[in-house]
């Protein structure tokens, strides 16, 4: 498109958002290059949602073996081999890395391995090579953050290292209360580790509906996770192969592994952004407008490095929107309302729309429909695990504002209801929908009695 520069678009980072923007821009006719210093596919493919979901699957099997007895199956002694899981996970990640690389190549995107830094608004430097571009896209994602004021914090691992542990820990402490901490507490516990989770507030999963947060805490405790709320790690002391963790009430926990999942920070440092005038916020997030443009007009950013809604599908939508806007004469902005999300905890959580707490701030009146029950499967398995489903409704318009679920395959269920919310479905529409019986999902279309207004 432009003969003045080497490329029309130079993307730094081959994660979900960067790859989507780059290959779509190339298909629209732009000359595009991507620089990647680490691995193709970004956090999600390599040290995020994909391997984490595989680990979650692995950790559920012990319950499946136990539940089978109620259905007449006799399951013999079982053992778990961490090395096999790691090796098979690594093979799958390697396969996905190859797919991402091929997608870029097939779209005509030049791939450059190495760390790129920004020299000026139209120039990047990589491995001694200087490259010019009409537009530069920063899509470098985020990186685990750990507090630096805890004595012994150097002995702790992040979620990155958890995916590559050489030996499975018999005892583990997880510090944090977000997606990653909750999911890994369930994973370690499910695979057989004695698991402690500590979180500085109560309950965990801030931003989710309170009923789901409380319900999950109860279920995790039933499954054996030792949860400590309003608790912080005071210090970590290494003694031989063990770690003695003192928490702020003076109690001490002895474990084999300490994992901190206390948040992620944008990967924006030491790449020349501030030097060329790109505005960053106090934690390093790249500040952008609604069109992903930074304070330097030729430099754009999207995905987790902007620290807005840090979800893989959101980064994909942003990448598509950017490519359409810049290279297809089709101004596009993603819609960030009613974005569904899931936590692959045990049991799973999934949600779309407003929580009850948020809805009560925004609307004068809110109707609540809620059901808690034991799933049909567990009438024979003997498990006491509960499923929770909840609807938040605005009574004046009858519009469903939020759909929330705790239970098996919650993400699979909520994905469909996300379409309904996007379409503006009312409670009457839910009520007139014929359910699929017997399923847990049908509860969402059979809830008739308000539990709260």
């Amino acid at each position: 498109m432009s003969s003045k520069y080497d490329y029309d678009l130079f993307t730094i980072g081959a994660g979900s958002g960067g790859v989507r923007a780059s290959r779509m821009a190339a298909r629209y006719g732009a000359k595009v290059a991507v620089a990647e210093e680490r691995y193709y596919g970004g956090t999600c493919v390599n040290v995020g949602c994909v391997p984490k979901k595989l680990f979650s699957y692995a950790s559920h099997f012990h319950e499946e073996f136990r539940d089978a007895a109620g259905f007449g199956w006799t399951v013999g002694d079982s053992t778990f081999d961490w090395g096999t899981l790691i090796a098979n996970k690594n093979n799958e990640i390697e396969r996905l890395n190859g797919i991402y690389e091929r997608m870029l190549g097939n779209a005509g995107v030049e791939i450059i391995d190495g760390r790129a830094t920004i020299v000026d608004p139209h120039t990047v430097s990589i491995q001694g090579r200087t490259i010019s571009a009409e537009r530069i896209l920063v899509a470098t994602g985020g990186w685990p953050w750990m507090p630096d004021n805890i004595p012994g914090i150097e002995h702790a691992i992040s979620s990155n290292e958890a995916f590559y542990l050489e030996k499975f820990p018999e005892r583990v402490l997880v510090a944090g209360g977000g997606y990653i901490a909750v999911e890994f507490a369930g994973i370690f516990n499910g695979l057989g580790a004695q698991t402690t989770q500590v979180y500085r507030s109560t309950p965990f999963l801030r931003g989710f509906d309170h009923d789901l947060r409380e319900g999950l805490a109860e279920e995790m405790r039933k499954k054996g996770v030792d949860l400590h709320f309003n608790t912080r790690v005071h210090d970590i002391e290494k003694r031989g192969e063990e770690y003695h963790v003192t928490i702020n009430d003076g109690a001490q926990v002895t474990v084999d592994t300490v994992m901190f999942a206390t948040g992620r920070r944008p990967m924006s440092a030491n790449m020349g952004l501030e030097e060329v005038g790109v505005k960053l916020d106090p934690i390093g997030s790249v500040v952008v407008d609604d069109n992903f443009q930074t304070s330097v007009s030729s430099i754009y950013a999207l995905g987790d490095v902007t620290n807005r809604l840090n979800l893989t599908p959101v980064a994909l939508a942003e990448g598509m929107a950017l490519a359409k806007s810049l290279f297809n004469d089709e101004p596009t902005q993603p819609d960030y309302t009613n974005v569904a999300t899931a936590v692959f905890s045990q049991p799973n959580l999934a949600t779309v729309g407003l929580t009850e707490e948020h809805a009560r701030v925004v609307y004068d009146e809110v109707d609540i429909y809620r059901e808690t029950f034991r799933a049909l499967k567990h009438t024979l398995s003997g498990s006491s695990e509960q499923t929770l489903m909840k609807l938040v409704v605005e009574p004046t318009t009858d519009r469903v504002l939020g759909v929330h679920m705790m239970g098996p395959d919650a993400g699979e269920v909520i994905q469909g209801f996300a379409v309904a919310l996007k379409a503006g479905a009312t409670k009457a529409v839910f009520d007139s929908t014929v359910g699929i019986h017997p399923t847990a999902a049908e509860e969402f279309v059979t809830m008739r009695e308000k539990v709260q207004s």
Side-chain angles (χ1 to χ4, degrees):
M1 288 186 177
S2 171
S3 58
K4 182 178 179 180
Y5 301 99
D6 297 326
Y7 296 96
D8 302 304
L9 178 69
F10 190 97
T11 300
I12 304 175
S16 299
V19 168
R20 176 63 61 89
S22 299
R23 69 187 187 89
M24 295 310 300
R27 288 184 176 177
Y28 291 140
K31 186 178 182 182
V32 184
V34 172
E36 174 54 56
E37 66 170 315
R38 196 166 284 107
Y39 32 51
Y40 299 102
T43 295
C44 181
V45 166
N46 295 277
V47 287
C49 29
V50 171
K52 188 174 57 182
K53 187 74 179 288
L54 294 175
F55 279 16
S56 179
Y57 283 137
S59 65
H60 274 89
F61 279 105
H62 84 288
E63 288 187 334
E64 297 293 333
F65 296 150
R66 183 192 63 209
D67 292 347
F71 293 87
W73 285 91
T74 299
V75 180
D77 293 338
S78 60
T79 58
F80 168 67
D81 184 69
W82 174 252
T84 298
L85 174 61
I86 294 295
N88 290 341
K89 180 269 295 183
N90 289 346
N91 289 338
E92 174 60 11
I93 299 310
E94 186 176 349
R95 184 185 74 86
L96 293 175
N97 292 152
I99 289 175
Y100 269 77
E101 188 173 6
R102 286 193 296 275
M103 283 195 301
L104 289 169
N106 291 341
V109 177
E110 182 180 347
I111 301 168
I112 305 172
D113 293 326
R115 177 174 176 79
T117 57
I118 297 174
V119 178
D120 64 42
H122 293 283
T123 309
V124 298
S125 175
I126 180 168
Q127 295 183 341
R129 177 183 173 189
T130 299
I131 299 170
S132 65
E134 183 175 9
R135 297 180 177 94
I136 298 169
L137 172 61
V138 179
T140 46
W143 200 254
W145 174 85
M146 290 192 282
D148 58 7
N149 60 346
I150 297 175
I153 190 68
E154 67 274 10
H155 300 306
I157 66 168
S158 72
S159 56
N160 285 5
E161 294 77 44
F163 289 112
Y164 295 95
L165 287 173
E166 292 184 5
K167 181 180 178 182
F168 184 73
E170 294 182 7
R171 301 161 299 174
V172 61
L173 182 141
V174 179
Y179 289 76
I180 297 171
V182 169
E183 289 168 333
F184 264 101
I187 287 166
F188 284 126
N189 182 66
L191 294 177
Q194 181 182 317
T195 305
T196 301
Q197 182 179 358
V198 300
Y199 178 51
R200 59 186 172 84
S201 186
T202 185
F204 45 29
L205 292 174
R206 181 169 54 89
F208 282 78
D209 189 89
H210 188 78
D211 285 340
L212 265 64
R213 299 165 71 191
E214 292 283 5
L216 180 62
E218 181 178 349
E219 293 301 319
M220 288 178 65
R221 284 187 169 118
K222 282 161 56 176
K223 292 177 185 292
V225 177
D226 185 16
L227 283 177
H228 294 259
F229 291 140
N230 295 313
T231 302
R232 298 174 184 267
V233 171
H234 182 270
D235 63 64
I236 305 166
E237 182 183 354
K238 189 177 189 299
R239 300 179 190 172
E241 298 301 314
E242 297 180 336
Y243 299 96
H244 294 255
V245 183
T246 303
I247 53 182
N248 60 346
D249 62 3
Q252 196 169 79
V253 182
T254 301
V255 295
D256 307 301
T257 297
V258 181
M259 175 180 159
F260 266 69
T262 45
R264 297 174 65 85
R265 294 286 175 89
M267 290 183 63
S268 61
N270 303 317
M271 57 183 300
L273 287 168
E274 290 181 290
E275 287 78 2
V276 299
V278 173
K279 184 180 179 181
L280 306 180
D281 75 5
I283 67 166
S285 311
V286 180
V287 178
V288 295
D289 63 14
D290 291 341
N291 298 308
F292 314 107
Q293 196 170 39
T294 72
S295 52
V296 176
S297 62
S298 60
I299 301 178
Y300 296 76
L302 54 74
D304 289 5
V305 76
T306 64
N307 196 33
R308 294 187 295 178
L309 193 54
N310 297 341
L311 298 168
T312 295
V314 171
L316 292 170
E318 291 177 341
M320 178 66 79
L322 182 73
K324 286 181 176 180
S325 299
L326 295 183
F327 301 107
N328 201 44
D329 195 24
E330 188 180 351
T332 305
Q333 294 178 349
D335 183 359
Y336 296 101
T337 59
N338 291 331
V339 174
T341 187
V343 183
F344 298 108
S345 51
Q346 299 187 27
N348 291 178
L349 298 188
T351 183
V352 62
L354 300 185
T355 65
E356 178 182 348
E357 297 76 33
H358 190 182
R360 292 194 182 281
V361 171
V362 177
Y363 295 92
D364 294 332
E365 292 183 75
V366 176
D367 289 342
I368 303 298
Y369 299 80
R370 182 175 57 241
E371 292 287 349
T372 303
F373 56 92
R374 189 166 65 146
L376 175 63
K377 173 184 176 181
H378 294 318
T379 61
L380 295 190
S381 76
S383 171
S384 63
E385 179 182 282
Q386 296 291 297
T387 293
L388 186 154
M389 294 181 166
K390 181 174 181 177
L391 295 177
V392 181
V393 179
E394 199 279 299
T396 304
T397 61
D398 197 41
R399 190 161 61 93
V400 178
L401 303 175
V403 184
H404 310 281
M405 177 178 175
M406 177 188 75
D409 298 315
E412 306 290 345
V413 173
I414 292 297
Q415 180 66 81
F417 286 102
V419 177
L421 257 67
K422 203 75 173 174
T426 62
K427 182 65 167 63
V429 169
F430 274 58
D431 293 345
S432 66
T433 301
V434 177
I436 301 171
H437 185 74
T439 65
E442 69 176 319
E443 292 293 330
F444 278 127
V445 298
T446 59
M447 285 191 271
R448 299 290 188 269
E449 299 296 323
K450 287 182 287 188
V451 297
Q452 213 171 339
S453 293

